[in-house]
Each structure stands twice: as structure tokens, then as C-alpha cells.
Amino acid sequence: MNFKIKRMKTYPSEKFAKAKRRVDRIKDFYGHLSVYVVANVLLFVFKGYAFNYIISQGIEDQGFLDWFMLNIVLTPIIWGLGLIIHGFLAFRPVPFSIKNLKPKFIKDWEERQIQKYLNAEDDSKKEL
């Protein structure tokens, strides 16, 4: 069995690489959204059958029934909050990174240090 792998044209531009990463982030979000929808539909179908089964077995412990319903309701809510955060991160133009969270004075210090070491390396090469 032979599999053909489609190859994309290679573009040397960084612009293409950024666009590809952004499309991948959005695609991952839509995958997450699909799993969320399918899982929650199945969860609510299961809830109906399971709740009816529990009642038919004569379990009348109100604490257990409340716990059961709370878990069925909180799962999509908490997962949905995570999905919303994923959506914000996927659709924002600049990808999330720790670098974007650094204060300006730290970025400036890092750039000065990098420049200092580059200059020191250049000076040591000139001496040779």
C-alpha cells in the first residue's frame, strides 16, 4: 500500500509561516469545538437514560441525585469556559506567548544583553 504525501510549495517567507501557524491554531480550535459539541450531546443523552435508570432502581438519595445533576451540568460549563479561552487565543492575530507578557523594561534589558554579547564576540574575532 503506497501513500502519497501532498507537499506544499515551500515559501521562504516568514509571512507564509505565520499564516500557516495561524490557520493551524484556528483548525485546532474547530477540532476542539467539534469534540465539545459531540461529547456534550452524548453527555445529555446519557444523562436522560442514566437518570431514568437511577430512579427506576429506587435510588432516592437526594444528595446523590444532586451530585449527579451537578456533574452533568458543570462539565459543559467548565469545558465551555476553556473552549472560549481557546477561541480567544486561536483567533487573535498575535499568537499567545510568554514573550508577549514580558514588561518592556525586561525586553529592553534582554536586547541590550544580546547586543553586548554580540559586540563582544565581534571584538574577539577582530583580535584574531
Side-chain angles (χ1 to χ4, degrees):
M1 210 192 289
N2 291 333
F3 294 102
K4 291 185 179 179
I5 298 174
K6 291 184 179 179
R7 294 185 185 248
M8 298 180 87
K9 291 181 181 178
T10 54
Y11 294 94
S13 78
E14 188 176 318
K15 188 176 181 181
F16 174 79
K18 285 182 181 180
K20 174 91 172 82
R21 285 191 300 268
R22 186 168 186 196
V23 168
D24 287 343
R25 285 194 326 263
I26 293 170
K27 182 178 73 171
D28 290 344
F29 169 74
Y30 284 130
H32 186 181
L33 178 64
S34 339
V35 170
Y36 174 81
V37 169
V38 169
N40 283 299
V41 166
L42 291 174
L43 181 68
F44 280 105
V45 168
F46 167 76
K47 178 198 97 147
Y49 288 119
F51 195 73
N52 290 336
Y53 177 76
I54 290 169
I55 297 298
S56 71
Q57 294 299 314
I59 298 175
E60 296 178 6
D61 180 12
Q62 193 59 40
F64 174 76
L65 295 175
D66 290 344
W67 173 84
F68 182 77
M69 292 305 284
L70 184 66
N71 280 310
I72 296 296
V73 171
L74 279 182
T75 298
I77 291 172
I78 293 170
W79 190 356
L81 292 173
L83 185 66
I84 289 170
I85 292 168
H86 188 178
F88 282 132
L89 294 176
F91 286 102
R92 69 184 277 204
V94 178
F96 176 77
S97 73
I98 299 299
K99 249 200 256 185
N100 296 340
L101 296 176
K102 288 182 185 175
K104 183 169 176 12
F105 71 91
I106 292 177
K107 290 178 188 176
D108 292 344
W109 177 83
E110 287 175 346
E111 288 176 20
R112 285 193 312 269
Q113 293 301 310
I114 290 170
Q115 195 61 44
K116 179 175 101 176
Y117 289 116
L118 287 174
N119 291 340
E121 187 176 307
D122 288 343
D123 290 343
S124 67
K125 285 182 181 178
K126 287 179 185 176
E127 291 175 3
L128 295 176

